[in-house]
Amino acid sequence: MKRGPLSWLVLALAVFALAFVVLAPMWLVGTSSFKLPREIINRVPTWFPHSFTLQHYQKLLQTSAFPTYFLNSVLVAASSAFVTVILALMAGYAFFRLEFRGRDFLYRLIMVAYAFPSIVILIPIYLMFAKVGLIDTDLALVLVNVTFALPFSIWMMRTFFASLPRELEEAAAIDGAGRWKTVVHVLIPLLRPGIAAIAIFAFVASWTEYLFASVLIISDAKRTLPVGLSGIIGQYQIDWGLLLAGASLSVLPVIVFFAFVGRWFVAGLTEGAVK
Amino acid sequence: MRFKGQSLAGALALTVFGALPALAVTDVKIWHMEQPPHRVQRVQELIDAFNAANPDIKVSQEPQSWGEVYAKVPAAMAAGNAPDILFAIPDFTTVIRKAGQLDSVADFVKELDEKHHFIPATVEPYSYDGGVWAVPLYNMSLNFWYHKKAFADAGIAVPTTWSEWKAAAEKLSKDGVVGVGLPANKQLYTDQTTYAVMVNNGASELFNADGTLRFDNPKTVESYAFYKDLYKFSSPDAANWTWGEAEACFASETCASILQFSVISTYDQQGGGDAADLGVAAVPHADGEKSSSTIAYSNAAIILAKDAAKRDAAKKFIAFLLEPENYGKFLNMEPGLFLPVTADGAKSTTFWSDPLVVKYKPQVEQMIANSHAGMLFGFTGGHVFPAIGPISAQNILAETLQKVVINGEDPAAAVKAGQAQMIEATK
Amino acid sequence: MASKPNSSGRSDDRRIAVLLLALPLGLLAATLIVPMISAINISLRDIRVIGSDGPFAGFDNYARVLTDGTFWHALGISVVWVVGNAVVQTILALTAALVLNEKFPGVRVARVWIILTWIIPTVVVVIIWRWLLSPSGGMVNPLLIQLGIIDRPMGFFASGPAAMTSLILINSWRWFPFVAIMLLAGLQRIPNDIYEAAAVDGAGAVARFRAITWPLLQPTLLVLTVMGTLLSFNVFDIIWLLTAGGPAGGTETLPVLIYETAFKAYRMGDAAAMSVVASVLMIGLALVLLDRLAPKETGR
């Protein structure tokens, strides 16, 4: 379709506005983490730094267990993503490739999972996990994170399964491949974009989770990034420089990570649908 | 599944070691809420020194945050994985007492008192119902902090009475400067500033001697009305303030004055750091009162451990902290914020030799002087009523203040409603 | 099942389905249903501090909670919160999705990086906005003054409505890109030739949107609305960390009230009763909404 100059202008404005809304806060936080404390809290803030210092980063890395928090978060998020993908694949196959009584009912039941206010189950889960010795373990967080990521992941699976023509599986079956072989050699490779999208969704969901991590984890050495950072915020003082450095350092690796896998997430969600 | 393996192995190790009768090393777990990294570091240094001197004891710390600890400690006690030592404040102690059986540490405190001489006001909030429930560790009191230069430029003397205070705030509030930074958040900081105003109008008692509430009285109403007058000169975002925002406002010189425990370390790092320009004074009192008072918090350690060996180890560590030489280092985990609770601690050379304390010595001396006139809501008049626990936890003082300064309710009506809410909370 | 030509298909399907669903459903049951049952048990007892025990109280807690104004007040705040988020996020996300569905230089990059705000942990979102909105060093006030929208610094959390608006905008800032990508996926599912046919018929951009885009986007929008409603109803951390329900209860949503009742007022029984009522409301809402989608869901 041809686009007139007015239409280009509207589009350009809209793109600029979107970019500003998303990027301007990032820019301010990132650049300000290099400013001297005085400039950070100045009544007249600056878009471009007038001073430069690495003191906030030095303080962050020297006095806090930031790298530990970071590694814990990566470990928990990666494990949660892995388990979510496996379980979502299992459930997805059952829901979208098999026929059995109660299928629709169960599928709907799973979507209802989000209706449970997480605050409600916080304490019962704590007491339950305490009984089985899961308090202060990464496994506890993985279990909770998978619980919250799974229903939506299963819903996303629907589109991916729907986009795969059944003929492929049928052809494989006719060729004599068993069900298991068909799944491993035909279905899973074709589902790859979807799997990537779900993995990233689950990773981000647990990467950002705060409430359960704050209560289920006790020792400093096992804290995840959000909880560790909230500790640095402190009760009686706010060291904005330190916090902005912490904010920047906790976002930067995800940006790098996303630079590699981000297109899979978007592609996984959008491309699967075009066919 | 390496997680499962790990926790299984852990469980196995627990059963194996748990079955062994006498362990060579006694573990002592500490939870405290001094979470900023440099404080954790200082505590760790002391723990390391203690562990090195006591090979049969292994102390470890897990810093927690005030935001979560109200949920976490009772849950941990119920689940049987509570710490052995818990740092607490008076009202939180009443909650912990309700959640589980605490053993009195009266004898231990007496023993320590003979050695170090506690300031009586710091032990009082923990002494009731025939026992002492925690060992005082450090004191904090609220002060009036101001920029000397800002006051001098405006030609204002440091206010000592309410009318002077209001006039000063009004005069200082121009060109984007906030005359006096006062919070109105539903949060502990606002409880503290509100009470600091009340206590300076003779409204220090929340309870009558028989335990009934006397919050709803004319003096309280006057205090709220005055807070409302002053709040007009506070920062536009003060409804969301905790301690940190107030300090940032002061350090950036947006606020000419604030009520705060200590601003020293923030002022030194993020503000100008000019010791000569940093003023500290007592919170101004109502025109009808003779002298100033303030809110003071005695922080203390609760011993939660039940096991005799653990209790002894915990006591040994607490006694170690209160030794003047260690105590100065301990207090200076946040120089200028934590004040000594013992007489010999107040003279500790390690306390006074800290570079920041040296630099801001007049200010620290003034803070200690102010703290002597300190009180804490619900812990005055020689009685402690456990009802203060939920009143404080629900921040009813602050919530009442919000009704007055944010919703514009009549102070008398809001205070009346506040008292009703307190009665409801303690049922 | 079509892929198996023989007739044993159905019973075979059933056996495999049981095997496949055991683990996912088992996990959800263990982490959601079991705790919920425990919450129901607590709600029927007079339990104060968490972990302590209390006598059986029948429906006393429910009666007290439901006759007390604070519960209904919090429910009202929750409705404002959920609707506000739904409206703001839908508008922002739909705009973003429509823009990203166009072809312009850099669109591929934009489609990936729009998601940036969603990958930031809530705690960091809170840090960022607390600083940006503060008068000590925050950029928002000076910017608004420069643009002539306000004439002196305003308090973004100074009153209930202001705080609610700020919270909704901050939460939407974090979530709208995710919704936008989901909508973009929905948009891309609309075949191009429909638009081309409509363009040939002389339909303008607005007419095309109303006749094609909007109706065909409905299923995606509906699911996202259901999800979004449930998810934003449950949002706790961002509200707790920014306003803790204040000022003067202006942002005290039901989860915040439940947390306060349990851990500040130490009335576990009351908190559990509120939780059960909230869950029933949410589950009911979810079932009603999903019922309208379900037939299309598992089918093909």
Side-chain angles (χ1 to χ4, degrees):
Chain A
M1 273 174 272
K2 278 268 173 198
R3 201 189 287 283
L6 181 72
S7 150
W8 270 113
L9 185 69
V10 172
L11 185 63
L13 280 177
V15 172
F16 177 78
L18 272 179
F20 183 80
V21 165
V22 172
L23 295 179
M26 302 289 173
W27 164 260
L28 284 169
V29 169
T31 55
S32 297
S33 66
F34 294 104
K35 292 175 185 170
L36 283 170
R38 286 286 272 176
E39 194 182 341
I40 295 176
I41 56 172
N42 204 310
R43 227 184 308 151
V44 188
T46 47
W47 280 101
F48 299 94
H50 293 175
S51 54
F52 179 82
T53 176
L54 289 173
Q55 68 179 79
H56 308 301
Y57 288 93
Q58 278 164 357
K59 190 172 174 193
L60 184 73
L61 296 173
Q62 273 165 15
T63 58
S64 80
F66 192 86
T68 311
Y69 303 149
F70 182 80
L71 285 178
N72 288 339
S73 268
V74 170
L75 191 66
V76 168
S79 314
S80 305
F82 181 74
V83 178
T84 306
V85 165
I86 301 288
L87 295 189
L89 272 174
M90 289 164 69
Y93 189 82
F95 282 130
F96 310 120
R97 280 297 184 268
L98 301 178
E99 279 182 40
F100 55 94
R101 214 147 41 101
R103 185 184 64 175
D104 289 352
F105 172 75
L106 282 178
Y107 179 73
R108 251 183 279 180
L109 203 66
I110 283 190
M111 305 321 276
V112 169
Y114 288 118
F116 291 99
S118 40
I119 202 90
V120 177
I121 56 174
L122 178 65
I123 288 308
I125 279 206
Y126 185 98
L127 297 176
M128 200 170 85
F129 280 7
K131 266 189 210 140
V132 291
L134 279 176
I135 295 297
D136 210 25
T137 64
D138 293 334
L139 179 60
L141 295 186
V142 172
L143 288 178
V144 170
N145 287 331
V146 171
T147 299
F148 287 114
L150 191 55
F152 196 67
S153 301
I154 295 175
W155 176 74
M156 290 205 287
M157 272 290 168
R158 187 185 63 93
T159 329
F160 305 136
F161 271 99
S163 70
L164 293 184
R166 270 160 186 271
E167 290 77 32
L168 286 174
E169 291 157 62
E170 280 160 22
I174 289 166
D175 285 352
R179 194 193 286 268
W180 174 244
K181 263 194 152 158
T182 313
V183 168
V184 172
H185 295 293
V186 180
L187 202 57
I188 291 190
L190 287 171
L191 280 173
R192 246 183 335 218
I195 290 174
I198 287 175
I200 293 166
F201 170 77
F203 185 93
V204 171
S206 44
W207 178 260
T208 56
E209 203 281 324
Y210 170 76
L211 182 63
F212 282 86
S214 76
V215 174
L216 296 180
I217 294 297
I218 290 166
S219 47
D220 200 42
K222 290 206 177 112
R223 288 201 173 120
T224 57
L225 203 58
V227 182
L229 260 184
S230 85
I232 298 174
I233 297 179
Q235 312 287 324
Y236 305 109
Q237 299 156 330
I238 294 183
D239 185 342
W240 282 121
L242 185 69
L243 285 179
L244 295 181
S248 308
L249 264 198
S250 57
V251 172
L252 189 69
V254 198
I255 291 182
V256 174
F257 172 67
F258 225 68
F260 290 103
V261 304
R263 64 199 175 87
W264 285 105
F265 183 64
V266 180
L269 288 172
T270 52
E271 272 167 24
V274 190
K275 288 155 201 159
Chain B
M1 291 292 264
R2 57 176 294 214
F3 293 117
K4 210 162 208 163
Q6 254 174 19
S7 70
L8 265 181
L12 208 65
L14 266 180
T15 35
V16 170
F17 287 115
L20 291 175
L23 271 176
V25 175
T26 312
D27 279 307
V28 174
K29 253 192 312 177
I30 302 178
W31 283 13
H32 64 75
M33 278 61 81
E34 306 308 336
Q35 226 176 4
H38 51 281
R39 298 186 196 176
V40 175
Q41 212 174 23
R42 178 60 63 89
V43 173
Q44 192 57 49
E45 286 164 22
L46 288 160
I47 288 177
D48 290 344
F50 177 81
N51 285 346
N54 298 276
D56 56 330
I57 301 174
K58 190 171 167 279
V59 177
S60 59
Q61 60 167 337
E62 297 301 348
Q64 308 292 337
S65 108
W66 272 120
E68 294 134 19
V69 81
Y70 280 84
K72 225 168 169 174
V73 173
M77 287 170 81
N81 52 13
D84 303 306
I85 300 179
L86 172 68
F87 283 23
I89 50 176
D91 54 76
F92 189 45
T93 308
T94 67
V95 172
I96 300 301
R97 264 201 85 205
K98 238 202 287 182
Q101 254 66 55
L102 279 193
D103 295 321
S104 170
V105 287
D107 295 340
F108 181 47
V109 169
K110 201 171 153 215
E111 196 183 302
L112 289 169
D113 185 50
E114 278 158 13
K115 232 169 144 186
H116 306 296
H117 309 290
F118 282 112
I119 298 165
T122 62
V123 189
E124 245 166 56
Y126 298 101
S127 321
Y128 46 90
D129 289 357
V132 180
W133 308 109
V135 186
L137 279 184
Y138 47 89
N139 207 1
M140 296 158 56
S141 74
L142 203 69
N143 301 287
F144 178 75
W145 295 90
Y146 63 98
H147 286 287
K148 286 185 181 166
K149 198 172 167 298
F151 276 63
D153 288 352
I156 310 169
V158 180
T160 57
T161 64
W162 280 7
S163 46
E164 287 168 19
W165 194 5
K166 200 176 143 188
E170 193 164 3
K171 203 161 172 194
L172 289 162
S173 297
K174 56 170 190 210
D175 307 329
V177 170
V178 171
V180 57
L182 284 175
N185 195 352
K186 189 186 161 190
Q187 198 259 355
L188 183 57
Y189 179 36
T190 308
D191 277 344
Q192 294 166 342
T193 54
T194 304
Y195 186 69
V197 169
M198 283 165 60
V199 92
N200 276 299
N201 191 34
S204 59
E205 307 294 322
L206 251 52
F207 297 100
N208 293 309
D210 62 354
T212 54
L213 279 158
R214 52 161 294 139
F215 173 69
D216 182 12
N217 69 61
K219 292 282 186 191
T220 310
V221 175
E222 275 172 34
S223 309
Y224 273 91
F226 175 68
Y227 200 118
K228 187 184 179 183
D229 280 350
L230 271 190
Y231 186 77
K232 284 193 288 244
F233 309 110
S234 186
S235 173
D237 68 334
N240 203 31
W241 271 12
T242 60
W243 302 274
E245 281 86 357
E247 279 196 5
C249 184
F250 185 77
S252 67
E253 290 176 38
T254 306
C255 284
S257 66
I258 59 169
L259 291 187
Q260 180 65 284
F261 291 95
S262 168
V263 299
I264 291 179
S265 67
T266 307
Y267 179 81
D268 198 65
Q269 283 166 28
Q270 300 179 45
D274 175 10
D277 187 43
L278 180 62
V280 57
V283 181
H285 54 80
D287 296 39
E289 298 287 315
K290 284 193 191 64
S291 65
S292 283
S293 186
T294 188
I295 178 170
Y297 268 89
S298 164
N299 286 248
I302 302 177
I303 301 178
L304 288 175
K306 290 278 165 232
D307 176 69
K310 275 183 187 275
R311 283 187 79 85
D312 285 343
K315 283 177 183 170
K316 213 165 171 183
F317 180 68
I318 293 171
F320 170 84
L321 284 184
L322 287 169
E323 286 300 328
E325 195 201 321
N326 306 321
Y327 192 48
K329 285 187 204 151
F330 175 69
L331 292 177
N332 282 328
M333 68 171 137
E334 191 66 68
L337 175 60
F338 300 136
L339 305 174
V341 290
T342 58
D344 65 355
K347 293 185 215 122
S348 159
T349 45
T350 46
F351 178 68
W352 290 104
S353 63
D354 185 277
L356 267 190
V357 177
V358 171
K359 184 174 174 187
Y360 295 95
K361 193 164 183 226
Q363 285 87 349
V364 173
E365 282 169 343
Q366 179 69 48
M367 287 164 69
I368 293 178
N370 291 350
S371 74
H372 289 314
M375 298 191 226
L376 179 59
F377 54 93
F379 297 88
T380 48
H383 310 278
V384 171
F385 302 103
I388 191 61
I391 291 179
S392 176
Q394 289 177 72
N395 308 110
I396 298 180
L397 291 184
E399 198 180 345
T400 305
L401 184 83
Q402 286 200 321
K403 286 183 187 152
V404 174
V405 303
I406 290 166
N407 291 358
E409 283 179 31
D410 173 45
V415 168
K416 196 176 157 80
Q419 171 147 336
Q421 208 182 341
M422 287 179 184
I423 291 169
E424 181 60 35
T426 54
K427 247 195 237 161
Chain C
M1 178 151 156
S3 61
K4 278 239 166 177
N6 58 44
S7 58
S8 73
R10 289 193 72 92
S11 68
D12 205 27
D13 270 14
R14 196 191 152 89
R15 202 168 46 81
I16 297 170
V18 169
L19 282 175
L20 286 178
L21 287 176
L23 215 49
L25 289 182
L27 176 73
L28 291 180
T31 50
L32 293 174
I33 313 278
V34 174
M36 196 63 210
I37 291 169
S38 152
I40 293 173
N41 179 34
I42 295 174
S43 76
L44 297 173
R45 291 167 185 280
D46 183 16
I47 292 179
R48 299 300 177 88
V49 179
I50 156 82
S52 63
D53 212 350
F56 184 77
F59 289 97
D60 285 6
N61 294 335
Y62 288 90
R64 186 167 48 246
V65 163
L66 293 178
T67 50
D68 184 27
T70 49
F71 175 83
W72 299 105
H73 176 257
L75 188 63
I77 297 279
S78 272
V79 170
V80 173
W81 165 256
V82 167
V83 173
N85 270 297
V87 170
V88 173
Q89 282 177 39
T90 306
I91 292 174
L92 282 176
L94 195 57
T95 314
L98 288 171
V99 168
L100 293 178
N101 200 30
E102 296 295 316
K103 288 198 177 64
F104 59 88
V107 66
R108 283 185 166 276
V109 178
R111 277 182 194 171
V112 173
W113 292 109
I114 181 84
I115 207 82
L116 193 57
T117 63
W118 173 63
I119 58 180
I120 304 175
T122 325
V123 174
V124 177
V125 172
V126 167
I127 293 173
I128 292 176
W129 285 101
R130 250 168 86 168
W131 176 64
L132 286 176
L133 296 178
S134 91
S136 331
M139 182 56 88
V140 177
N141 262 318
L143 189 68
L144 291 180
I145 292 174
Q146 252 175 18
L147 293 174
I149 297 172
I150 52 176
D151 55 355
R152 59 197 176 84
M154 67 172 286
F156 293 93
F157 300 96
S159 68
M164 184 51 105
T165 312
S166 306
L167 276 178
I168 289 175
L169 290 176
I170 293 170
N171 191 52
S172 301
W173 179 76
R174 166 140 194 259
W175 276 103
F176 92 86
F178 179 75
V179 183
I181 291 297
M182 289 298 177
L183 286 177
L184 181 63
L187 284 176
Q188 303 231 316
R189 244 167 259 158
I190 302 172
N192 246 336
D193 34 354
I194 304 188
Y195 285 111
E196 273 154 22
V200 169
D201 290 349
V206 177
R208 282 200 302 265
F209 177 81
R210 282 181 52 184
I212 304 169
T213 315
W214 185 249
L216 288 177
L217 212 50
Q218 286 300 314
T220 317
L221 258 179
L222 204 52
V223 174
L224 285 174
T225 310
V226 178
M227 291 289 177
T229 302
L230 298 179
L231 286 179
S232 58
F233 177 85
N234 281 334
V235 166
F236 170 77
D237 45 9
I238 208 165
I239 304 179
W240 184 251
L241 292 169
L242 274 170
T243 67
T251 57
E252 191 174 62
T253 59
L254 215 40
V256 174
L257 178 66
I258 291 171
Y259 188 88
E260 289 224 303
T261 310
F263 304 124
K264 295 280 185 158
Y266 301 110
R267 289 178 191 276
M268 210 55 211
D270 288 6
M274 288 180 195
S275 305
V276 173
V277 175
S279 306
V280 169
L281 285 176
M282 284 295 110
I283 293 170
L285 186 68
L287 286 180
V288 168
L289 288 172
L290 281 172
D291 200 41
R292 296 175 52 189
L293 318 167
K296 289 175 251 151
E297 287 291 323
T298 45
R300 43 219 71 156

